[in-house]
Amino acid sequence: MINRKILPKNIQAIFFDMDGVLYDSMPNHASTWVESFRRSGINFPEYDAYLNEGRTGPATINIAFEKCGNRQATEDDIKTIYDTKTELMQAAPEAPIMPGMKEVVRKTIEAGLKVVVVTGSRQPSLLARLESDYGISRDNVINGFDVKRGKPDPEPYLMALKKANCKASDAIVIENAPMGVESSVKAGIITIAVNTGILKPEVLSDSGASVVLPGTEELLKHWGEVTDSAINR
């Protein structure tokens, strides 16, 4: 359930993460990260892929080398691993749309709210689908190419606020990853987490999420509480 008391009084914008929120793409991301690192001699656990979801690719690679490789990643390491990951992602099965999310986005747009996608991903296979699947144009997407620091830094969501011409107190973020939650909370935005992966729910609440729901279908079930507030404002 989403407690209306936590919602902004004047909702203007909703910011959606992409992987694990709009698309069930995290299994592909996790497996391709694990395999890409394995080919470079790094044992990167699947759980860590979920923990680090939302970071830019280079940042994830740097962290993996420090934690699992006991050395700093070089520019060649970063290029080799990310090129391998991109190749594997392009060969992976197409990630399905998350249950209920087309309806959530449709209701959000119909309520007159600004929609911005905020993702650390640079994977063209999913970014290219946002307009056809959700009606979200490139102008309303912030991705890993657009940021210098990326999640968990607040930079991506501060950029979203600027793009939406919206105050932090008038926006809501929908996230599924601790790095993303931390980023949005640092930007001062109320955050609803959907736990669509393998993480323990307390990881998301400990990162600062105001609400943790067990999936996107549960989000849809309660989304009227958000859109009704916007329509009746």
Side-chain angles (χ1 to χ4, degrees):
M1 182 175 180
I2 301 173
N3 187 339
R4 291 194 182 210
K5 292 182 179 179
I6 72 162
L7 299 178
K9 294 181 179 179
N10 185 31
I11 303 172
Q12 298 292 320
I14 308 292
F15 304 147
F16 294 95
D17 180 36
M18 183 175 73
D19 294 298
V21 173
L22 298 179
Y23 296 101
D24 190 11
S25 47
M26 273 312 295
N28 285 347
H29 275 292
S31 63
T32 55
W33 272 129
V34 170
E35 176 61 15
S36 299
F37 282 116
R38 186 195 67 78
R39 294 184 187 184
S40 292
I42 302 294
N43 181 21
F44 186 66
E46 180 187 40
Y47 196 83
D48 283 18
Y50 281 85
L51 280 177
N52 286 280
E53 190 221 328
R55 293 189 193 273
T56 63
T60 300
I61 294 167
N62 281 325
I63 285 172
F65 268 77
E66 290 172 3
K67 180 178 178 181
C68 307
N70 298 314
R71 68 176 178 86
Q72 297 288 318
T74 66
E75 289 300 317
D76 283 344
D77 290 325
I78 292 171
K79 184 178 187 309
T80 296
I81 290 173
Y82 205 76
D83 284 352
T84 300
K85 185 181 189 304
T86 299
E87 180 182 334
L88 292 171
M89 280 292 289
Q90 289 173 342
E94 183 172 86
I97 293 170
M98 274 292 190
M101 288 308 296
K102 288 191 83 165
E103 185 76 358
V104 167
V105 173
R106 182 185 64 77
K107 287 184 174 183
T108 303
I109 294 170
E110 287 180 352
L113 299 175
K114 180 74 172 179
V115 169
V116 178
V117 172
V118 183
T119 175
S121 178
R122 298 181 178 185
Q123 296 296 334
S125 56
L126 280 184
L127 293 169
R129 290 175 55 188
L130 286 170
E131 186 154 17
S132 59
D133 289 340
Y134 286 101
I136 299 171
S137 70
R138 175 64 184 90
D139 290 342
N140 292 316
V141 178
I142 293 168
N143 63 42
F145 290 111
D146 301 321
V147 299
K148 293 181 179 179
R149 294 176 295 278
K151 304 171 185 179
D153 191 275
E155 178 193 28
Y157 283 108
L158 293 175
M159 291 176 68
L161 289 170
K162 185 175 181 180
K163 186 177 285 289
N165 192 26
C166 174
K167 296 185 295 184
S169 57
D170 294 336
I172 297 173
V173 167
I174 309 299
E175 267 283 356
N176 74 304
M179 297 296 102
V181 172
E182 189 176 333
S183 171
S184 57
V185 170
K186 284 179 181 176
I189 309 171
I190 289 171
T191 303
I192 298 171
V194 285
N195 191 17
T196 58
I198 62 176
L199 299 177
K200 296 178 180 179
E202 55 265 31
V203 173
L204 296 167
S205 55
D206 289 348
S207 297
S210 297
V211 178
V212 179
L213 300 174
T216 54
E217 290 174 303
E218 191 70 13
L219 179 69
L220 174 60
K221 187 186 300 184
H222 298 289
W223 197 240
E225 296 161 28
V226 176
T227 53
D228 288 350
S229 295
I231 292 168
N232 296 326
R233 64 181 184 264

